[in-house]
Amino acid sequence: MSILFYFSTAIGAFFLSFFLTWRVRKIAIKLAIVDKPDGLKKIHPKPTPLLGGVAIFLAFFLILFFVREKLITGDLAYGHWLWFFAGGIFLLIGGILDDKFNLKPRWQIVWPLLAVACVLIGDIGIKKITNPLGGLLYFSNFLSEAFTFTWLLLMMYTTKLLDGVDGLVSGLAVIGGLVIFLFTATTKYFQPDIALASLIFSGVCLGFLIWNWHPAKIFLGESGSLFLGYVLGVLAIISGGKIAIALLVLGLPLLDLFWTIIRRLAAKKNPFSSSDRLHLHHRLLDIGLGQKKTVLIFYAFSLFFGLMALFLQSKGKFLAISILVLIMIFLLAGFTFLEKRKKHIL
């Protein structure tokens, strides 16, 4: 595949996504599927259409269908892509239902579980990972399925919980897809099928981002916030288990997810059903950065560490992840200090 084919396909994905987002936005308004502000987590000034994930899903898989013959040039067969598509269908159905009827948490989890089940049935899994100390670590079938299950849920809930600022998740998805494209398009790790799918994904997310940039004209909704994490998680797997790349691209959001789970469990709350304004992006907003600056900070970290992953070996990637952990600890300590100082002043 030529460079011209890659980018002409990505440009087509961009315009198709842009058009479908416009159409889906009108449908969401007509059906009154909107997100109303509550002054806590939902900080937008007026009701905003949901269902953005529908436009992304349709644009992504329509383009994949038209270039389907280019997607089986490597180790993947049509069956892998069909099961990947089936998982996306479940996320789409569950997301639409949640956007319309605001499902309870115990019903929300059903759809991501069904999506992961499709991936496992389709024999898409993490068979091995690179050992930072050298060599490879191979998984048995059971460990492979358990690791894949955990990884995909982790990715989906990271993007789900991160979706609280205009353009944040969709922009990080653009960066994630682009980094995986660059990695799989290099000579050493050349995987033209994965490179094409990743670049299409970036193009689709960029087309949506035009509408989702602050002030957002449409939101991802449940289907979109889960679907973006799902796609990034699967792309990391089928690109040869490049988990470290996804970890670096979504490093801060993933660490924020871990901290949220620990914090809520310590408070004897359900980590996935309770809500608060203690996420990293909310804290950045609370110190007065505003939505655009907050989003750009996340973009900068994602792009910097994602591009670093292209040039680092296993030990270097492990070191970069360790640096991200230290940055997260520093940020949490800083925000804790500011909050205590504010209470002392008051």
Side-chain angles (χ1 to χ4, degrees), residues 302-332:
S302 179
L303 190 59
F304 177 75
F305 281 95
L307 292 176
M308 278 184 62
L310 300 178
F311 305 102
L312 296 175
Q313 299 301 315
S314 299
K315 290 183 179 179
K317 291 173 185 174
F318 181 77
L319 177 61
I321 292 173
S322 300
I323 292 172
L324 268 175
V325 172
L326 291 176
I327 290 172
M328 187 65 184
I329 293 172
F330 174 79
L331 288 172
L332 289 174

Side-chain angles (χ1 to χ4, degrees), residues 116-187:
V116 175
C118 288
V119 171
L120 295 176
I121 292 171
D123 196 30
I124 300 171
I126 301 169
K127 312 296 183 182
K128 59 185 178 182
I129 60 173
T130 303
N131 186 343
L133 301 177
L136 296 172
L137 295 174
Y138 291 88
F139 294 130
S140 65
N141 287 337
F142 173 78
L143 286 177
S144 173
E145 292 182 355
F147 195 47
T148 301
F149 175 87
T150 304
W151 168 251
L152 289 178
L153 283 182
L154 190 65
M155 291 295 286
M156 283 189 277
Y157 272 88
T158 295
T159 51
K160 171 185 168 68
L161 296 179
L162 185 65
D163 188 28
V165 183
D166 295 351
L168 181 51
V169 175
S170 51
L172 291 180
V174 173
I175 295 171
L178 184 61
V179 170
I180 294 175
F181 161 74
L182 292 172
F183 189 85
T184 52
T186 58
T187 302

Side-chain angles (χ1 to χ4, degrees), residues 25-338:
R25 180 177 181 274
K26 288 184 174 294
I27 292 171
I29 293 173
K30 186 175 182 179
L31 297 177
I33 303 179
V34 297
D35 195 29
K36 298 178 181 179
D38 62 6
L40 180 63
K41 289 185 65 180
K42 301 178 180 182
I43 56 177
H44 45 287
K46 60 182 180 180
T48 303
L50 295 165
L51 300 182
V54 175
I56 292 176
F57 174 90
L58 291 174
F60 182 58
F61 281 111
L62 280 172
I63 297 295
L64 288 187
F65 175 79
F66 282 111
V67 299
R68 59 191 181 278
E69 293 183 1
K70 305 291 186 180
L71 299 177
I72 54 170
T73 57
D75 297 329
L76 298 176
Y78 283 132
H80 294 108
W81 293 105
L82 286 174
W83 281 110
F84 173 44
F85 171 74
I89 285 285
F90 280 121
L91 293 178
L92 186 69
I93 294 172
I96 293 173
L97 290 174
D98 186 64
D99 287 346
K100 180 61 179 177
F101 302 109
N102 193 22
L103 301 178
K104 294 182 178 180
R106 66 173 177 269
W107 292 110
Q108 291 176 351
I109 187 64
V110 169
W111 309 99
L113 290 176
L114 289 172
V116 175
C118 288
V119 171
L120 295 176
I121 292 171
D123 196 30
I124 300 171
I126 301 169
K127 312 296 183 182
K128 59 185 178 182
I129 60 173
T130 303
N131 186 343
L133 301 177
L136 296 172
L137 295 174
Y138 291 88
F139 294 130
S140 65
N141 287 337
F142 173 78
L143 286 177
S144 173
E145 292 182 355
F147 195 47
T148 301
F149 175 87
T150 304
W151 168 251
L152 289 178
L153 283 182
L154 190 65
M155 291 295 286
M156 283 189 277
Y157 272 88
T158 295
T159 51
K160 171 185 168 68
L161 296 179
L162 185 65
D163 188 28
V165 183
D166 295 351
L168 181 51
V169 175
S170 51
L172 291 180
V174 173
I175 295 171
L178 184 61
V179 170
I180 294 175
F181 161 74
L182 292 172
F183 189 85
T184 52
T186 58
T187 302
K188 184 178 180 181
Y189 301 99
F190 189 55
Q191 295 170 285
D193 48 348
I194 311 304
L196 180 61
S198 301
L199 194 59
I200 290 170
F201 181 63
S202 283
V204 166
C205 292
L206 185 59
F208 174 79
L209 180 59
I210 303 298
W211 293 93
N212 190 226
W213 184 252
H214 183 70
K217 305 296 188 299
I218 185 172
F219 291 153
L220 283 166
E222 182 77 358
S223 61
S225 61
L226 288 170
F227 182 68
L228 296 190
Y230 171 73
V231 175
L232 285 173
V234 171
L235 288 176
I237 294 172
I238 62 179
S239 61
K242 301 301 181 290
I243 306 304
I245 292 179
L247 284 174
L248 286 170
V249 170
L250 291 178
L252 283 184
L254 277 164
L255 292 171
D256 188 42
L257 172 64
F258 283 129
W259 173 241
T260 298
I261 292 173
I262 294 170
R263 173 167 45 80
R264 290 178 181 174
L265 286 175
K268 298 181 179 180
K269 296 180 180 179
N270 186 323
F272 303 109
S273 63
S274 55
S275 62
D276 53 44
R277 281 188 57 86
L278 295 177
H279 287 293
L280 181 57
H281 54 276
H282 286 135
R283 290 184 168 190
L284 291 172
L285 289 173
D286 289 341
I287 64 174
L289 286 183
Q291 294 204 44
K292 291 182 180 179
K293 289 181 180 178
T294 296
V295 167
L296 290 175
I297 288 173
F298 273 90
Y299 286 2
F301 274 102
S302 179
L303 190 59
F304 177 75
F305 281 95
L307 292 176
M308 278 184 62
L310 300 178
F311 305 102
L312 296 175
Q313 299 301 315
S314 299
K315 290 183 179 179
K317 291 173 185 174
F318 181 77
L319 177 61
I321 292 173
S322 300
I323 292 172
L324 268 175
V325 172
L326 291 176
I327 290 172
M328 187 65 184
I329 293 172
F330 174 79
L331 288 172
L332 289 174
F335 285 124
T336 301
F337 172 77
L338 290 174

